Amino acid sequence: MSLKGAFHCLRPLAFITFLLWLAACSQTPSEQQPDETNAAPRITEIESPQATTREPQTPQAPQYQDLWRKIAASNDIVLHDSPQMQLWVDFYRQRPSFARQLSDKAAPFLFEIVTALEQKGLPLELALLPAVESGFNANASGGAPAGLWQMIPATGRRFGLRVGADFDGRRDPMASTEAVLNYLVHLHTTLGQDWLNAVAGYNSGELRIQAAIKANQAKGLGTDFWSLKLSGKQAPTVYKWLALIALLREEALPLAPIANAPAVKREAAVSGQPLAVLAKGYGLSLKQLKALNPGFRTATVPTAGHYSLLLPLDAQWQGGQLSALKAPSYQVKSGDTLGAIAKRHGISLKTLLGLNGLTEKSIIKPGQMLRLE
């Protein structure tokens, strides 16, 4: 090979060697490429000072003008396809008059019920239970159960309600709501932390649902409501309630809107006063006053205990000064019996028991005060 040919062969190799030499000379030891573990973040990954110090933004809860929409949007209760629930979905779809009446009945009480649920952190869908139990009729009575929530006397007394001949706390819309929500919290705690179990226990009995849970546990089965496989006859309220939730979420009920604002207020009721006098003083008819306060079972406010009146927001007292009245009473003496006391004062034993929240098996002691009216 000639010298000229050799030169042409070496030119590409020399050129590559020259480029490598330039690259090596352009870096100092401190500028060598770092290894991967110590690599500096890329520019796009560096947060600005504003980003690192900015307060986290919490989205505001949506505001609802209509309480029905607020309840529907709660989504605390998970629905499942169920033949028993579908039966009630079809039932309510075929009865639009039920939904129209429901809004009228619920309007005075729904805001207070939803507010109580929010304060306790409970599912808002529980506000639909009175729709199933009573159609939001605060004076409803189905035998032993009574009121918006259809509580039985024993449960009412267990959770702090006065149930007597002169006043029945189960028919007091707000007092009964407080008692029922406390009861439902208890049922939720004892029946597997399942709200459907709690409603089933409220409807069918706590012990019955406990027995169903224990039976499933013994078989290694789940203890949630759907695993218990309770029939429509065993837990009818649950399926009715779930059907209303489903229809409300679908906006398939002709419910008139109920404002997301108070509709009623509470005022102290002066003891011993006739309800007719109080109604007139507040500019209401006696029928209007009783509709909001069906807990009063006689014509006057009881003298034992403290009571309040549920009134329209715009109701103002215009009746002048009222003074509390004291009811006739009797102090128990040694050897007294309830029957003898009732006979001596010309009242029935049933009335005496009801006035004092007693039963025929109650024990009275000397010095104890009993109401006679």
Side-chain angles (χ1 to χ4, degrees):
M1 176 184 298
S2 67
L3 183 61
K4 184 177 181 180
F7 176 76
H8 283 293
C9 291
L10 290 172
R11 282 174 61 186
L13 181 61
F15 182 71
I16 292 171
T17 303
F18 177 71
L19 289 177
L20 291 173
W21 178 79
L22 284 177
C25 292
S26 66
Q27 294 181 353
T28 65
S30 63
E31 294 174 323
Q32 297 298 319
Q33 292 295 323
D35 63 32
E36 200 170 309
T37 58
N38 294 318
R42 294 182 179 179
I43 295 298
T44 56
E45 297 174 344
I46 298 177
E47 294 183 347
S48 66
Q50 291 81 2
T52 58
T53 59
R54 186 170 57 241
E55 290 289 333
Q57 298 298 309
T58 303
Q60 290 186 346
Q63 300 297 311
Y64 295 94
Q65 300 300 315
D66 178 11
L67 282 171
W68 296 125
R69 292 292 93 227
K70 182 173 183 176
I71 295 168
S74 176
N75 285 320
D76 288 316
I77 301 300
V78 178
L79 301 180
H80 294 269
D81 290 333
S82 160
Q84 294 98 327
M85 185 184 82
Q86 189 59 46
L87 285 173
W88 287 104
V89 167
D90 297 338
F91 176 88
Y92 290 126
R93 282 187 188 276
Q94 295 166 10
R95 290 163 176 80
S97 61
F98 169 79
R100 286 192 287 268
Q101 294 170 3
L102 203 59
S103 283
D104 290 340
K105 295 285 188 181
F109 314 121
L110 192 59
F111 177 82
E112 306 299 331
I113 293 172
V114 169
T115 299
L117 288 166
E118 287 182 312
Q119 290 173 345
K120 293 179 180 292
L122 307 182
L124 297 190
E125 292 94 335
L126 292 172
L128 296 178
L129 274 178
V132 175
E133 294 286 358
S134 67
F136 277 99
N137 180 0
N139 200 29
S141 180
L148 279 178
W149 302 88
Q150 291 293 282
M151 296 186 81
I152 62 174
T155 304
R157 293 189 179 100
R158 178 183 174 190
F159 285 87
L161 296 179
R162 174 179 168 79
V163 182
D166 56 350
F167 185 82
D168 188 344
R170 298 173 302 156
R171 288 180 165 89
D172 182 312
M174 299 304 101
S176 64
T177 292
E178 179 69 16
V180 168
L181 297 190
N182 289 337
Y183 184 32
L184 287 169
V185 168
H186 163 76
L187 291 171
H188 180 260
T189 301
T190 58
L191 299 177
Q193 306 286 322
D194 185 310
W195 283 113
L196 274 64
N197 282 351
V199 173
Y202 180 81
N203 173 226
S204 304
E206 181 177 354
L207 296 180
R208 176 178 292 181
I209 305 305
Q210 279 182 340
I213 288 174
K214 289 179 180 178
N216 266 27
Q217 287 174 330
K219 299 173 185 176
L221 301 175
T223 58
D224 62 284
F225 176 80
W226 299 108
S227 296
L228 298 181
K229 296 182 178 179
L230 299 171
S231 70
K233 291 184 178 181
Q234 292 172 306
T237 290
V238 178
Y239 295 110
K240 295 178 187 178
W241 175 55
L242 294 176
L244 283 180
I245 295 172
L247 289 168
L248 190 65
R249 290 177 183 174
E250 295 172 13
E251 299 188 43
L253 291 173
L255 291 164
I258 296 179
N260 187 10
V264 291
K265 64 180 180 180
R266 284 280 193 183
E267 297 284 354
V270 180
S271 64
Q273 294 299 320
L275 294 178
V277 171
L278 296 176
K280 184 177 180 180
Y282 281 109
L284 304 173
S285 69
L286 182 58
K287 182 178 180 180
Q288 287 174 312
L289 187 69
K290 285 186 173 181
L292 290 173
N293 301 275
F296 295 105
R297 308 307 293 164
T298 62
T300 60
V301 177
T303 54
H306 299 281
Y307 303 89
S308 60
L309 293 173
L310 206 59
L311 299 165
L313 284 179
D314 58 355
Q316 298 295 326
W317 177 252
Q318 303 293 333
Q321 187 82 24
L322 289 176
S323 299
L325 302 177
K326 292 184 178 180
S329 59
Y330 174 77
Q331 188 172 29
V332 177
K333 298 178 176 58
S334 179
D336 277 337
T337 65
L338 288 168
I341 294 171
K343 184 176 181 179
R344 188 182 310 147
H345 293 89
I347 59 175
S348 69
L349 176 59
K350 181 179 180 181
T351 298
L352 181 65
L353 296 175
L355 287 171
N356 295 279
L358 303 174
T359 69
E360 292 185 15
K361 295 182 179 180
S362 297
I363 298 174
I364 54 175
K365 299 178 180 179
Q368 182 177 346
M369 298 300 297
L370 296 178
R371 291 189 56 209
L372 301 176
E373 288 185 8

